[in-house]
Amino acid sequence: MSHTVEKIGGTSMSQYQDVLNNIWLNEKNGSISNRIFVVSAYAGITDLLLEHKKTGEAGVYSCFIDGEKEDAWLDMLGKLETRLLEINKDMFSGHYLSQANQFIRQRIADAQTCMTSLHSLCSYGHFQLQQHLATVREMLASIGEAHSAFNSTLLLKSRDINARFVDLTGWKTSEPLPMDEMIKQAFEGFDPSKQLLIATGYTHCQEQLMKTFDRGYSEMTFAKIAAVTGAREAIIHKEYHLSSADPKLAGKDNVIPIGMTNFDVADKLSNLGMEAIHPKAAQEIRKSGIKLRIKNTFEPEHLGTIIDQNYCNPRPCVEIIAGRKDIAAIEIFDQEMLGSIEHDLQISRLIQELKLQLVNKESDANSITFYLTGSRKKINRLVRLTEQKYPTAEVAIHKAAMVSAIGSDLKVKGILAKTVSALSDADINVMALHQTIRQVEMQCIVAESDYENAIRALHKTLVENENHGSVIRRYVAA
C-alpha cells in the first residue's frame, strides 16, 4: 500500500492546534489522505491514570492497589474526569463538546463500575485482587488513548474532514485476540486513501502489552499497525528534532538535527532513556523492511531523521552526545567471586525481578559494578538482598551520571584520548569509561553533579569542533 503510519506523542497531542495545522491538515503530494495516525494520551493523563512516570506520585491505579486508603482511587478518578473534561472544553463547544464529554464520562463510569465490582468480589477468599491488577492497569491506561483518539476524530470532523475513530482498546469485547489479528480486524474495510484513520495508542490483545512494554505500549501498537497494514513508511512526530545533543544543555544554536542514522544508534538512545523508538517496536519495523522517520511536530517542512537498517555514516564520527544523570552504580567487591560467574547471574536475576533497568555493567577479578536506574526504594532493596545472599561481600552505592558519544561508526583514531582530554579540560573526573569493539558507543561515568558540563564539553569537542554538520545536513535533504 502507499500509506504511512504516523505516531503522535503526548506532548505534541496537547498542542492540538499545532498538530491539526502542521500534521493532519498538512498536505503531502496535494492530499491529506493515505495516512493512519496512532495517538498517545494527552500530556500528563497517563500519569493521572497510573502513577507519575518520574516522581512515582500516585494515580488512580496506585491508589486502587493501596489497601490503606480504600476510597482514595475514587477521589483520584474524580480528579482525572475533571481534567479530561477541561481538555474537552478547551477543544470544543456546542454539539461536539457534548459528544466528547459523553464519550469520556461513559468510559470512566464503566471503569468505576468494573473496579468497584472487583473490590467487592475480592472480599471473598476465593478471589485475589493481585491476580487481576495487570488487567486493571491495562484497562485504565486505555482510557487516556481512547480519549485523545476520539477527540482527534471529532476535531477533524468539525473541520469537515472525513475521519474515522479506530478503537483498539477492546472495550467490552468478549475476549482478547492476538495483536496481529486484533489490528487486522480493526482496519478491515477501512480505506486510508478516502479517510483519515485515527487509532488508539493502546491495543487490547492476548499478549497484554503492558506486561512487556509497560508505558511503551503505544510505540508497539504503532509498529504493529505499520507492519500489519503494509505501510510505506513509519513516522514518529515528537516535540523536538533528533539532534546531536539536547539543545537545552548544549545550546540551541550549537546542536545539529541528525538527518540519517540506523537502528543500532536508536537502541543506544533507548538504553539511555532517550527513546527515538522502543527497541521491540524498532525490531518490528526493521523486520518488515519499513523505513522509520522522526519528525518535529512544530517544523512540518523539515524532513526529519531517517532511521534505516543499513545506514552507516560515510565519514566515521560522533553523531550524538546523550546520557542520563539518574544512574546508581552498585559496586560489589567479594574475593570469593574470583573465577565464578554466580554473582553476576544471581544479582542480574534480582535486578530483573525488581524491574530495575540495567544500563551497563563491568567486572574484574573480584568485583562487579551494575549501572542501574530505578526508584531509590528498589535500589536499596537490591543492596539488602545482595548483602543477605553474599555476606562476605562489600556492597556500595555511588550516585553517578552516564554521558555517551554515539554514532553509526566511531572508528575514529584518537577519539578516546580526545574524550578524556575534553572532560579533563572541563575539570571533570572520569569514574569509569566503556568502549566496546563494535565502536558504536563510548560511555563515560561521571559524578551526577558534572552531568550537564560533561554533555557540553563532549559536544563541543566531538561534534562542534569536528564540523560534522555538512555531512549530516546533506542526508537531511536527500
Side-chain angles (χ1 to χ4, degrees), residues 104-174:
I104 198 59
R105 279 175 171 151
Q106 187 61 57
R107 288 285 167 121
I108 290 175
D110 288 347
Q112 181 175 333
T113 299
C114 177
M115 293 165 70
T116 301
S117 299
L118 181 59
H119 245 314
S120 177
L121 181 67
C122 292
S123 65
Y124 296 91
H126 292 81
F127 300 93
Q128 302 301 315
L129 182 61
Q130 193 68 32
Q131 297 173 358
H132 305 282
L133 290 182
T135 304
V136 171
R137 187 173 176 83
E138 297 225 2
M139 178 188 70
L140 287 170
S142 75
I143 293 173
E145 267 70 25
H147 175 242
S148 61
F150 186 83
N151 277 17
S152 299
T153 308
L154 273 186
L155 187 64
L156 288 164
K157 287 182 175 180
S158 72
R159 265 66 172 183
D160 296 322
I161 303 297
N162 185 14
R164 179 66 69 99
F165 172 47
V166 183
D167 190 357
L168 298 173
T169 65
W171 205 257
K172 292 188 175 180
T173 54
S174 56

Side-chain angles (χ1 to χ4, degrees), residues 395-408:
V395 184
I397 304 177
H398 306 280
K399 291 181 68 176
M402 181 177 288
V403 179
S404 291
I406 305 170
S408 53

Side-chain angles (χ1 to χ4, degrees), residues 41-42 44-46 48-49 77-91 97 100-101 104-105 107-108 143-144 147-148 151:
Y42 297 111
I45 297 303
T46 306
L48 292 174
L49 282 160
L77 194 65
K79 292 177 183 177
L80 168 73
E81 182 174 3
T82 298
R83 177 67 188 120
L84 295 177
L85 294 176
E86 286 173 351
I87 292 172
N88 291 356
K89 187 176 180 180
D90 185 58
M91 293 181 69
L97 177 59
N101 287 349
I104 198 59
R105 279 175 171 151
R107 288 285 167 121
I108 290 175
I143 293 173
H147 175 242
S148 61
N151 277 17

